[in-house]
C-alpha cells in the first residue's frame, strides 16, 4: 500500500473506528490484482457501477499545460489503464445492459462502450452497418452488437416519461453541471436516433449469424493490456472470452428489436407487425432455452408487449388461450358488437377465464367512448358494470364505486338484468359463491327504496333458492317502513347530509369534469355536482387558470353554478389555445359568450376579446400565406381602438393584435389611423407604429432617419440599466447597477417575447439591423464588426454608452437572428449576420458553416457563381481566418484565390504549415492559380514529399490551366474549381 493510502487509512480508522473502509480509485492502479478481489466481495464498496464512473471520470479529466491552457485528456499509460479497469468492471457484470443502464448515465455508458469498440479493434471511421460481422473476430463482432443493442435500447428508454428530481439547497451549485450533462445526453440521443436505422440493420445481420458469440472477460482484457496478447493473437481467436450461445443472443436481440419497432408503431402502423414477429421469436427462444444465463429481459414487460401487439395487429395465436380470448373481445369491440361483449362477460363469470383487470379495462374504454360523444353505449356500460360487479361478488371482492353509483337509482331493467346475470353466473356447487350471492341479494334489497323493485328481487327464483322466507319477510317489512316517507319530496342533500356513496359520486363527477371538453357536458356535470354538494367546483383542478385581469369579474358572479361554469369554460378554452387545439376552444368560448351575454356586458366584451385572440392565433398557426379575411382585420382594428373603460383587458391581446398588423403589412393603419391616445397608453402600439413607419420608408428612394431615430431611442432605453450611487461605510461612493431600467416602455423580456411573434421579413430585417448597429457601438471593436442591411439609417454613436447593458444587447441580437432563421433559413443576409456573430465570438466552425450556407442559398448549392455582394472580400477574409484558426491551412490557400487580388502572402504562409487538420493534397485539385501550385511543388520537393509533389505537378499539368489559354477558358476553369471546392466545404461543415 502507498504511503498516501496508509495515511488515509489511519486517519479514517482514528475518526471512525467501526466503519468499513472504502477503497479509492487510485489503489486499483497501484495493485493489479485488487480489482478482481474487490469485485468478488459480497457487497463491494464502491459498487461496480460507481467504480466505472470513477475510472472513466479520472481518465477523461482535461489537463493544463505550462501556459495554463486547458488541454484534452492525455493519451498516456495511466489513462489507458483506467479505461481498461472500467471495461474489466463491465466484463465482471457480464455486459448486462440492464444493470449498466440502471446505474450509469447515458454519457458514461456511451464513453464505456466506445472504449469497448476501441480495444476490440473495431475499424475506425467505418460505419457499423458496412462491417461484415461474419468476418470479424468474435469479440470484435460482439462489441459492435453490444453497442448497437444499447443504442436502440437507449432510444426506447428515452421515450418513456421520467420524473425530474428537484434540486435542494445543497444542490444549487450543481445546476450548471447537471445542465451540461443534460445537453450532452441530448446530443448523444440525437446521434443515436439519426443512426437508428443502421443499428437495426446491424442487429438484423447478427440474427443471421448461427454461430456462438464471445465477449471480453477480465482475462482477455488483461491480455489486451499486455504484450503477450499482441504476440500470439489470443484475444482474437475464435474461442477467446465468455461464450454466449447463438440462441441466447438472438433471444435478447429479438426483444430489443421488438421494443424499437413497437415504439415506432405510433407513427408507422406496419412497425407493429415487425414488433410482433420479433416478440414471437423471443418467446419461442425463451421456451427453447433450458437455462437463459445471458438473457436479461423483463418477462412481464414481454408479455405486455406481446398482448399489445396482438391487439393492435388483430392477429391470433391458436397456441395462446389467453390471447385468443383477449382477441375475441377486442374483435367484438372493433366490430361494435357490444351485446356480444356483454354475453361474453356473462359466460366468463362462470368460466372465470378473463382476468379482472382486463374486464375493467374494457369497461373503461367504453366509458371513454361515451365521454367522447359516441352514442348508444350508456346501456352497454351499465350492463358491463353489472357483469363485473357479479364477478366481484362471486370472488368475494369489494364492489366497485361505479356499481355503487348505479345502485343509487336503479331502474326496473337494471334490477332484472342484475338478477339474470347473477342467476346465470352462479356455480351452485360452490358454497362460497352461494353465500356471497345471497349476501349480495340481501344488500341489494336493503338499498332499494322502491317496494316494487324489492318485490321483484324477493320473488325471483334465485332469491327463493338462496334465502329463507324469514329473510324475505324482514326485507319487505323494512321496505314498507321506508315507504312511509315521500322520497320525491325530499330536498337535495347538502354537502354534510349526503351518504358515503354520494360523496364517492362527487369524486367521480369531478374526474369527469376535469376530462370533459364539451360545454353541454360540463354544464350537466356541474348541475349534478351542485345537487350533491354546495361548494366552489372551479377549484377542483389546480391547473385551471383564469388570467388575473379577469378573476375579479368572474368570481363576482353571485350564482355559484354560473360562476363555476364561466370560470371552468374560460380556463379550459385558454388551455386549448395554449396547446393550439383551436376547435374545442372556439366551442367553449362560444358557450361562455352565450351564457354571460344574459347578465354581464363586461364579461361579454371579455369573451369577445378572447375569441379575437383565438382567431388571430389560429390564423397565424395555420401558416397560410393568404391575407386574413377582412372581417378579422376589422375586428383587430376595433380592438385597438376600443375605449370601454371598465372592461378588464389583457395586454397580451394588444400585443398579438399589433404583431398581427405588422405581419400582414397594415403599415398605413398603424402609421396614420391609430388614435394618438392609444399610442401614448399602449407600449405595443407605440412600438408597432415606429416599426411600421421605419419599414414604410425603407423600400423608397430615401430612407427615413427621423422615424428610425425615434425607434432607436425607444430600443436603447429598453436595453439600458439604471445606475445609482450609494455611499459606503468608509464614506466613498460605490456604483450599483440594476439590470433593468424603469425608463423603457417595455421590459426587455417582454420586448423579446413580442419580437418572437413577428414574421414579416422587412420588420425582422429592420430590428436585426438596429441591434447589429447597437451591438457594434457598445462593443467598440472596429475590426470585428457584425454586418447587416440598412445600417446607415441608425445613429453612429450613443450619448450615454455606459447606461446600455452590453450583455443584454449581445443576447438579444443572437436570439433575434436565430429566431429569424427559424422562419426563413434561406435568407442570405440573415445567414451572413449569424455567421458574423459567431465570428466575433470566436466560434469559427459555426461561423464558417453559416458563411457557406449563405453562399449555398443564393447559388443553388454552388451550381452557380456566388454573387460578389454576398462573398465580399470581407466575408472571404473572415472565412480564411476561420479556416486558419481551425488549422485547416490548405483550405486557407484555396480561399486566398477567391479574393479580388490573390493574397499570396497568406496562402504561402498557410502552405508552409505542416500541422494541417484538413485533407491537404486532396484539395490541390481545387487550386487554379499556377503560382500557388508552383510554390506547392517547391515546398514538397524541399521536404522530400515525393507523392504530394507529384499530385501538385499533376494539377499544374492540366491543359485548362495553361497560361496561354484565352481569358474565358481560364475564368471557366476557375469557376468550375470554385464551385467544386465550395460544395466539398459544404459537405464538411453543414
Amino acid at each position: 500500500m502507498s504511503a498516501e493510502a496508509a495515511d488515509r487509512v489511519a486517519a479514517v480508522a482514528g475518526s471512525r473506528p467501526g466503519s468499513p473502509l472504502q477503497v479509492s480509485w487510485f489503489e486499483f492502479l497501484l495493485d493489479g490484482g485488487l480489482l478482481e478481489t474487490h469485485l468478488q466481495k459480497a457487497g463491494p464498496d464502491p459498487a461496480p457501477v460507481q467504480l466505472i464512473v470513477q475510472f472513466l471520470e479520472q481518465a477523461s479529466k482535461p489537463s493544463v499545460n505550462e501556459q495554463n491552457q486547458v488541454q484534452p485528456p492525455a493519451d498516456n499509460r495511466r489513462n489507458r489503464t483506467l479505461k481498461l479497469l472500467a471495461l474489466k468492471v463491465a466484463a465482471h457484470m457480464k455486459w448486462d445492459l440492464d444493470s449498466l443502464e440502471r446505474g450509469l448515465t447515458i454519457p458514461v455508458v456511451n464513453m464505456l462502450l466506445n472504449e469497448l469498440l476501441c480495444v476490440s479493434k473495431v475499424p475506425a471511421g467505418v460505419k457499423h452497418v458496412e462491417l461484415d460481422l461474419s468476418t470479424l473476430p468474435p469479440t470484435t463482432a460482439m462489441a459492435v452488437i453490444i453497442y448497437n443493442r444499447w443504442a436502440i435500447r437507449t432510444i426506447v428508454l428515452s421515450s418513456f416519461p421520467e420524473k425530474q428530481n428537484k434540486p435542494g439547497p445543497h444542490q444549487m451549485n450543481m445546476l450548471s453541471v447537471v445542465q451540461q450533462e443534460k445537453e450532452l445526453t441530448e446530443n448523444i440521443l440525437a446521434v443515436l436516433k439519426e443512426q437508428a436505422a443502421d443499428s437495426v440493420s446491424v442487429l438484423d445481420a447478427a440474427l443471421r449469424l448461427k454461430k456462438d458469440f464471445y465477449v471480453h472477460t477480465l482475462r482477455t482484457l488483461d491480455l489486451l493490456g499486455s504484450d503477450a496478447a499482441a504476440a500470439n493473437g489470443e484475444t482474437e481467436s475464435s474461442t477467446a472470452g465468455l461464450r454466449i450461445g447463438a440462441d441466447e443472443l438472438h433471444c435478447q436481440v429479438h426483444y430489443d428489436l421488438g421494443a424499437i419497432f413497437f415504439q415506432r408503431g405510433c407513427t408507422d402502423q406496419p412497425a407493429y407487425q415487425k414488433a410482433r414477429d420479433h416478440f414471437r421469436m423471443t418467446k419461442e427462444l425463451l421456451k427453447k432455452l433450458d437455462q437463459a444465463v445471458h438473457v436479461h429481459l423483463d418477462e412481464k414487460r414481454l408479455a405486455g408487449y406481446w398482448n399489445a401487439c396482438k391487439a393492435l395487429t388483430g392477429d391470433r395465436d391458436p397456441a395462446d388461450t389467453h390471447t385468443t380470448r383477449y382477441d375475441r373481445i377486442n374483435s367484438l369491440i372493433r366490430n361494435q358488437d357490444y351485446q356480444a361483449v356483454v354475453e361474453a362477460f356473462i359466460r366468463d363469470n362462470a368460466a372465470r377465464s378473463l382476468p379482472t383487470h382486463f374486464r375493467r379495462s374494457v369497461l373503461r374504454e367504453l366509458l371513454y367512448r361515451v365521454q367522447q360523444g359516441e352514442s348508444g353505449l350508456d346501456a352497454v356500460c351499465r350492463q358491463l358494470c353489472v357483469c363485473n360487479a357479479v364477478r366481484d361478488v362471486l370472488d368475494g371482492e369489494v364492489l366497485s364505486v361505479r356499481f355503487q353509483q348505479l345502485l343509487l337509482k336503479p331502474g326496473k331493467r337494471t334490477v332484472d338484468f342484475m338478477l339474470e346475470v347473477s342467476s346465470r353466473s352462479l356455480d351452485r356447487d360452490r358454497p362460497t359463491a352461494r353465500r356471497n350471492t345471497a349476501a349480495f341479494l340481501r344488500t341489494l334489497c336493503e338499498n332499494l327504496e322502491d317496494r316494487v323493485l324489492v318485490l321483484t328481487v324477493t320473488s325471483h327464483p334465485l332469491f327463493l333458492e338462496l334465502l329463507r322466507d324469514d329473510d324475505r319477510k324482514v326485507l319487505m317489512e323494512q321496505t314498507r317502513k321506508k315507504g312511509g316517507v315521500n322520497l320525491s319530496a325530499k330536498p337535495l342533500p347538502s354537502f354534510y347530509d349526503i351518504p358515503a356513496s354520494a360523496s364517492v359520486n362527487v369524486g367521480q363527477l369531478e374526474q369527469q369534469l376535469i376530462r370533459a371538453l364539451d360545454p353541454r357536458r360540463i354544464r350537466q356535470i356541474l348541475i349534478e355536482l351542485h345537487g350533491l354538494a354546495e361548494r366552489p367546483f372551479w377549484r377542483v383542478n389546480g391547473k385551471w387558470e383564469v388570467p388575473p385581469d379577469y378573476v375579479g369579474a368572474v368570481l363576482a358572479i353571485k350564482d355559484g353554478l354560473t360562476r363555476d361554469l364561466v370560470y371552468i369554460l374560460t380556463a379550459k378554452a385558454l388551455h386549448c389555445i395554449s396547446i393550439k387545439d383551436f376547435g374545442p376552444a372556439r366551442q367553449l368560448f362560444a358557450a361562455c359568450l352565450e351564457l354571460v351575454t344574459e347578465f354581464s356586458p363586461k364579461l361579454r366584451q371579455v369573451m369577445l376579446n378572447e375569441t379575437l385572440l383565438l382567431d388571430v392565433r389560429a390564423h397565424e398557426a395555420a401558416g397560410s400565406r393568404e391575407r386574413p379575411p377582412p372581417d378579422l382585420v376589422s375586428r383587430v382594428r376595433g380592438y385597438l381602438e376600443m375605449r370601454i373603460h371598465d372592461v378588464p383587458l389583457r395586454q397580451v391581446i394588444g400585443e398579438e393584435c399589433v404583431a398581427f398588423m405588422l405581419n400582414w403589412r397594415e403599415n398605413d393603419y398603424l402609421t396614420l389611423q391609430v388614435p394618438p391616445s392609444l399610442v401614448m397608453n399602449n407600449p405595443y402600439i407605440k412600438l408597432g407604429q415606429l416599426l411600421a413607419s421605419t419599414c414604410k420608408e425603407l423600400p423608397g428612394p430615401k430612407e427615413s432617419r427621423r422615424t428610425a431615430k425615434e425607434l432607436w431611442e425607444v430600443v436603447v432605453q429598453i436595453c439600458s440599466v439604471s445606475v445609482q450611487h450609494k455611499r459606503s461605510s468608509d464614506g466613498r461612493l460605490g456604483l450599483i447597477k440594476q439590470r433593468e431600467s424603469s425608463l423603457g416602455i417595455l421590459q426587455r423580456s417582454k420586448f423579446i417575447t413580442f419580437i418572437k411573434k413577428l414574421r414579416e421579413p422587412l420588420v425582422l430585417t429592420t430590428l436585426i439591423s438596429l441591434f447589429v448597429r447597437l451591438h457594434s457601438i457598445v462593443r467598440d471593436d472596429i475590426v470585428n464588426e457584425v454586418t447587416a442591411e440598412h445600417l446607415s439609417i441608425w445613429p453612429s454613436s450613443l450619448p450615454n454608452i455606459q447606461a446600455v447593458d452590453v450583455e443584454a444587447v449581445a443576447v438579444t441580437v443572437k436570439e433575434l437572428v436565430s429566431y429569424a432563421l427559424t422562419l426563413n433559413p434561406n435568407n442570405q443576409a440573415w445567414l451572413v449576420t449569424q455567421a458574423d456573430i459567431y465570428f466575433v465570438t470566436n466560434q469559427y466552425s459555426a461561423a464558417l458553416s453559416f458563411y457557406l450556407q449563405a453562399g449555398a442559398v443564393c447559388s443553388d448549392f454552388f451550381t452557380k457563381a456566388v454573387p460578389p455582394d454576398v462573398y465580399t472580400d470581407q466575408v472571404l477574409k473572415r472565412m480564411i481566418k476561420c479556416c486558419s484558426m481551425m488549422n485547416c491551412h490548405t483550405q486557407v490557400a484555396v480561399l486566398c484565390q477567391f479574393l479580388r487580388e490573390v493574397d499570396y502572402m497568406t496562402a504561402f504562409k498557410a502552405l508552409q504549415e505542416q500541422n494541417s487538420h484538413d485533407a491537404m493534397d486532396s484539395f490541390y485539385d481545387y487550386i487554379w492559380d499556377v503560382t500557388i501550385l508552383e510554390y506547392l511543388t517547391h515546398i514538397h520537393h524541399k521536404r522530400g514529399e515525393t507523392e504530394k509533389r507529384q499530385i501538385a505537378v499533376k494539377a499544374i499539368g492540366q491543359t485548362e490551366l495553361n497560361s496561354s489559354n484565352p481569358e474565358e477558358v481560364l475564368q471557366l476553369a476557375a469557376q468550375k474549381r470554385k464551385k467544386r471546392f465550395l460544395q466539398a466545404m459544404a459537405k464538411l461543415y453543414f
Side-chain angles (χ1 to χ4, degrees):
M1 184 183 291
S2 67
E4 182 184 351
D7 291 343
R8 183 179 65 80
V9 170
V12 173
S15 60
R16 293 181 298 165
S19 61
L21 300 177
Q22 187 183 73
V23 187
S24 289
W25 62 267
F26 61 83
E27 295 180 46
F28 296 99
L29 283 175
L30 303 175
D31 184 352
L34 179 60
L35 180 64
E36 194 165 352
T37 305
H38 176 78
L39 293 174
Q40 288 172 352
K41 294 179 181 177
D45 187 17
V49 289
Q50 292 175 323
L51 281 177
I52 292 175
V53 173
Q54 292 176 14
F55 291 149
L56 292 179
E57 182 181 5
Q58 295 299 326
S60 59
K61 273 189 176 178
S63 57
V64 180
N65 62 13
E66 295 176 355
Q67 289 78 29
N68 205 29
Q69 295 174 328
V70 178
Q71 302 291 320
D75 184 19
N76 52 31
R77 183 180 176 185
R78 168 190 175 275
N79 288 347
R80 286 194 296 272
T81 304
L82 283 168
K83 293 175 183 177
L84 198 61
L85 287 171
L87 291 174
K88 287 182 179 180
V89 177
H92 169 77
M93 299 170 70
K94 297 183 179 178
W95 305 100
D96 179 5
L97 290 180
D98 278 339
S99 301
L100 293 174
E101 289 162 349
R102 278 196 301 270
L104 303 174
T105 62
I106 289 176
V108 175
V109 182
N110 183 59
M111 191 187 308
L112 178 73
L113 296 185
N114 273 294
E115 193 57 34
L116 173 64
L117 294 174
C118 183
V119 301
S120 301
K121 299 181 181 179
V122 175
V126 180
K127 290 184 177 181
H128 292 177
V129 73
E130 297 172 1
L131 297 172
D132 184 355
L133 297 180
S134 62
T135 62
L136 295 176
T139 51
T140 305
M142 194 62 186
V144 173
I145 293 170
I146 289 174
Y147 178 84
N148 286 281
R149 275 190 57 219
W150 170 75
I152 64 172
R153 287 165 63 96
T154 303
I155 294 170
V156 173
L157 288 173
S158 68
S159 67
F160 297 156
E162 182 179 354
K163 184 178 180 181
Q164 299 293 330
N165 294 324
K166 295 183 179 179
H170 62 289
Q171 294 176 296
M172 294 307 291
N173 58 346
M174 296 292 291
L175 282 179
S176 60
V177 177
V178 172
Q179 183 61 29
Q180 289 175 7
E181 183 173 312
K182 182 181 178 183
E183 292 176 0
L184 181 58
T185 300
E186 288 174 352
N187 292 337
I188 292 171
L189 282 172
V191 173
L192 295 180
K193 289 175 181 176
E194 184 181 337
Q195 298 173 351
D198 288 352
S199 294
V200 170
S201 299
V202 169
L203 296 179
D204 279 336
L207 293 174
R208 292 194 291 271
L209 298 178
K210 303 304 179 185
K211 60 183 181 181
D212 290 342
F213 297 82
Y214 292 84
V215 66
H216 279 300
T217 61
L218 271 75
R219 180 175 178 276
T220 59
L221 291 170
D222 266 333
L223 292 172
L224 284 174
S226 66
D227 295 333
N232 59 23
E234 185 175 349
T235 59
E236 296 184 13
S237 73
S238 60
T239 58
L242 175 66
R243 186 182 73 84
I244 297 177
D247 286 343
E248 287 184 289
L249 183 71
H250 289 173
C251 180
Q252 192 74 64
V253 170
H254 276 301
Y255 178 77
D256 294 336
L257 286 172
I260 190 74
F261 281 119
F262 188 87
Q263 186 215 23
R264 293 177 180 176
C266 57
T267 55
D268 179 19
Q269 189 69 23
Y272 285 128
Q273 304 275 355
K274 297 179 181 178
R276 179 206 60 201
D277 294 340
H278 283 295
F279 288 133
R280 176 187 286 120
M281 290 302 302
T282 306
K283 287 163 65 71
E284 290 176 1
L285 288 169
L286 273 177
K287 291 178 183 177
K288 181 179 176 183
L289 293 167
D290 294 331
Q291 289 184 334
V293 179
H294 303 294
V295 177
H296 304 280
L297 54 84
D298 186 343
E299 293 196 33
K300 288 185 178 179
R301 184 177 287 271
L302 172 61
Y305 272 136
W306 175 247
N307 290 334
C309 287
K310 300 301 291 179
L312 290 165
T313 58
D315 291 344
R316 297 184 180 181
D317 184 358
D320 193 333
T321 55
H322 278 285
T323 306
T324 303
R325 296 189 197 100
Y326 297 150
D327 289 342
R328 188 178 301 115
I329 299 295
N330 288 324
S331 176
L332 292 173
I333 294 173
R334 279 196 299 271
N335 296 330
Q336 298 186 355
D337 191 354
Y338 299 120
Q339 285 307 313
V341 175
V342 173
E343 187 63 28
F345 271 42
I346 296 173
R347 288 197 302 270
D348 184 68
N349 281 347
R352 305 159 67 89
S353 58
L354 289 175
T356 305
H357 65 82
F358 175 75
R359 295 167 59 108
R360 289 174 180 166
S361 70
V362 171
L363 176 57
R364 282 196 298 270
E365 180 178 345
L366 296 185
L367 286 169
Y368 176 76
R369 295 188 183 188
V370 171
Q371 292 168 7
Q372 297 302 307
E374 190 169 334
S375 59
L377 284 181
D378 287 328
V380 175
C381 290
R382 284 194 297 272
Q383 290 175 340
L384 290 179
C385 183
V386 169
C387 292
N388 286 345
V390 172
R391 171 70 176 270
D392 289 337
V393 166
L394 295 172
D395 292 343
E397 301 290 339
V398 178
L399 294 175
S400 69
V401 171
R402 188 166 299 281
F403 181 72
Q404 292 180 21
Q405 292 175 346
L406 192 60
L407 286 182
L408 290 176
K409 289 184 180 180
K412 177 75 164 55
R413 289 184 180 180
T414 302
V415 172
D416 287 341
F417 185 73
M418 286 182 196
L419 294 170
E420 179 192 350
V421 174
S422 300
S423 181
R424 291 178 58 185
S425 303
L426 178 62
D427 182 356
R428 286 157 173 82
D429 296 331
R430 290 179 57 220
T432 306
R434 291 174 63 88
R435 283 196 302 271
N436 291 341
T437 305
F440 167 66
L441 294 176
R442 186 183 294 112
T443 304
L444 177 61
C445 291
E446 290 172 349
N447 287 330
L448 292 174
E449 297 178 345
D450 188 335
R451 295 179 63 183
V452 176
L453 294 180
V454 175
L455 185 60
T456 301
V457 176
T458 55
S459 60
H460 193 273
L462 183 63
F463 184 95
L464 299 174
E465 177 185 347
L466 298 177
L467 286 96
R468 296 171 305 191
D469 288 341
D470 294 344
D471 294 323
R472 183 172 183 271
K473 291 175 182 178
V474 169
L475 291 172
M476 289 301 295
E477 180 62 24
Q478 290 176 354
T479 307
R480 187 185 64 77
K481 292 179 179 179
K482 287 191 294 183
V485 180
N486 186 359
L487 295 176
S488 62
K490 289 179 68 177
L492 288 171
S494 69
F495 178 69
Y496 297 101
D497 295 334
I498 56 176
S501 58
S503 67
V504 173
N505 195 25
V506 169
Q508 294 291 328
L509 288 171
E510 286 176 346
Q511 289 296 320
Q512 294 177 28
L513 183 63
I514 291 171
R515 293 194 297 263
L517 275 179
D518 179 37
R520 288 173 296 179
R521 178 62 182 152
I522 293 170
R523 182 175 180 275
Q524 179 186 351
I525 294 171
L526 280 172
I527 290 172
E528 293 181 37
L529 283 169
H530 275 269
L532 294 171
E534 287 298 330
R535 55 190 174 93
F537 289 101
W538 58 269
R539 294 178 178 173
V540 164
N541 188 354
K543 293 185 179 180
W544 285 338
E545 294 181 357
V546 169
D549 311 88
Y550 302 157
V551 168
V554 174
L555 297 185
I557 300 173
K558 294 181 180 179
D559 179 65
L561 174 60
T562 307
R563 179 172 60 244
D564 287 345
L565 188 55
V566 172
Y567 189 100
I568 293 170
L569 289 175
T570 305
K572 283 179 175 282
L574 291 172
H575 172 71
C576 289
I577 293 176
S578 69
I579 61 174
K580 297 185 178 179
D581 194 1
F582 299 113
R586 190 170 280 108
Q587 291 179 2
L588 290 162
F589 272 136
C592 203
L593 176 62
E594 182 181 354
L595 178 65
V596 300
T597 299
E598 300 175 0
F599 64 88
S600 176
K602 182 192 299 186
L603 285 175
R604 177 182 181 277
Q605 190 58 52
V606 165
M607 297 306 153
L608 288 172
N609 295 344
E610 289 297 328
T611 306
L612 172 62
L613 178 61
L614 161 65
D615 291 338
V616 167
R617 286 186 174 173
H619 188 272
E620 296 296 289
S624 173
R625 295 187 179 182
E626 296 181 5
R627 287 191 61 78
D631 171 64
L632 181 56
V633 176
S634 175
R635 288 164 60 203
V636 170
R637 291 182 178 184
Y639 177 84
L640 293 176
E641 298 171 8
M642 188 169 57
R643 294 183 178 84
I644 305 176
H645 298 294
D646 61 341
V647 173
L649 300 176
R650 280 212 294 161
Q651 203 165 36
V652 67
I653 303 180
E655 177 187 353
E656 295 266 2
C657 287
V658 172
F660 178 84
M661 300 298 273
L662 286 171
N663 287 336
W664 294 103
R665 297 176 292 281
E666 292 285 335
N667 294 338
D668 288 338
Y669 173 79
L670 288 171
T671 54
L672 302 175
Q673 300 176 34
V674 176
S677 60
L678 287 178
V679 177
M680 297 300 295
N681 296 327
N682 191 321
Y684 294 106
I685 295 179
K686 171 74 172 175
L687 196 57
Q689 186 184 65
L690 291 173
L691 278 168
S693 300
T694 306
C695 294
K696 192 176 176 183
E697 300 296 331
L698 279 179
K702 280 191 174 182
E703 295 178 326
S704 171
R705 292 180 180 272
R706 182 184 61 80
T707 310
K709 186 178 179 183
E710 288 184 39
L711 179 60
W712 170 270
E713 290 171 351
V714 166
V715 173
V716 167
Q717 281 193 336
I718 291 173
C719 295
S720 295
V721 290
S722 60
V723 181
Q724 68 180 40
H725 297 279
K726 185 178 180 181
R727 195 171 298 278
S728 60
S729 57
D730 58 2
R732 291 181 298 177
L733 285 177
L735 186 65
I736 297 177
K737 273 192 175 183
Q738 296 178 347
R739 300 310 295 170
E740 291 274 353
S741 171
S742 58
L743 299 176
I745 63 172
L746 278 176
Q747 292 180 356
R748 192 179 70 87
S749 59
K750 292 183 177 179
F751 178 59
I752 295 292
T753 303
F754 173 70
I755 286 176
K756 290 186 177 180
K757 291 176 179 173
L758 301 174
R759 294 186 297 103
E760 166 58 29
L762 188 57
V763 176
L764 290 171
T765 297
T766 303
L767 285 168
I768 289 172
S769 173
L770 187 155
F771 273 99
V772 165
R773 169 65 82 187
L774 185 57
H775 184 252
S776 299
I777 292 173
V778 296
R779 284 186 76 252
D780 195 21
D781 186 354
I782 300 175
V783 177
N784 291 324
E785 284 192 345
V786 180
T787 58
E789 297 176 292
H790 311 302
L791 289 176
S792 60
I793 68 173
W794 311 112
S796 56
S797 62
L798 281 172
N800 187 13
I801 195 171
Q802 292 81 10
V804 178
D805 188 340
V806 180
E807 182 183 351
V809 174
V811 169
T812 304
V813 73
K814 289 177 184 176
E815 287 190 27
L816 177 54
V817 178
S818 297
Y819 166 71
L821 285 172
T822 62
L823 298 175
N824 182 7
N826 295 327
N827 187 306
Q828 57 89 9
W830 296 347
L831 288 167
V832 171
T833 302
Q834 180 75 294
D836 286 344
I837 291 171
Y838 282 122
F839 180 83
V840 301
T841 53
N842 303 327
Q843 300 178 67
Y844 298 111
S845 178
L848 186 56
S849 173
F850 277 97
Y851 283 132
L852 288 167
Q853 288 182 50
V857 299
C858 60
S859 63
D860 291 342
F861 197 74
F862 303 117
T863 56
K864 303 173 185 174
V866 179
D869 60 333
V870 177
Y871 277 0
T872 62
D873 269 8
Q874 178 182 343
V875 169
L876 290 169
K877 287 177 180 177
R878 290 187 170 186
M879 293 171 70
I880 288 169
K881 183 176 179 181
C882 290
C883 294
S884 178
M885 297 304 293
M886 293 187 293
N887 290 332
C888 297
H889 301 296
T890 316
Q891 295 172 13
V892 170
V894 177
L895 283 169
C896 285
Q897 304 171 106
F898 283 60
L899 298 166
R900 287 179 176 81
E901 295 291 334
V902 180
D903 188 351
Y904 290 112
M905 185 72 71
T906 303
F908 293 165
K909 184 178 178 182
L911 294 173
Q912 288 172 6
E913 297 285 347
Q914 290 185 275
N915 184 26
S916 186
H917 292 172
D918 56 21
M920 296 185 69
D921 50 353
S922 67
F923 285 106
Y924 292 176
D925 282 342
Y926 305 127
I927 301 176
W928 64 87
D929 189 283
V930 177
T931 305
I932 295 177
L933 287 170
E934 288 174 345
Y935 182 77
L936 267 174
T937 308
H938 165 70
I939 60 172
H940 286 318
H941 175 73
K942 187 176 178 181
R943 295 174 186 163
E945 298 169 343
T946 308
E947 291 183 8
K948 292 182 179 180
R949 179 179 176 278
Q950 288 299 324
I951 296 172
V953 169
K954 183 180 177 182
I956 295 176
Q958 296 177 82
T959 55
E960 56 189 356
L961 298 183
N962 193 321
S963 57
S964 302
N965 288 336
E967 184 64 25
E968 294 82 0
V969 175
L970 295 174
Q971 285 295 328
L972 188 62
Q975 287 300 327
K976 183 175 74 172
R977 284 162 176 76
K978 279 185 181 181
K979 294 173 186 176
R980 287 171 47 216
F981 172 72
L982 290 172
Q983 288 171 349
M985 291 284 282
K987 291 177 182 177
L988 285 175
Y989 291 101
F990 276 14

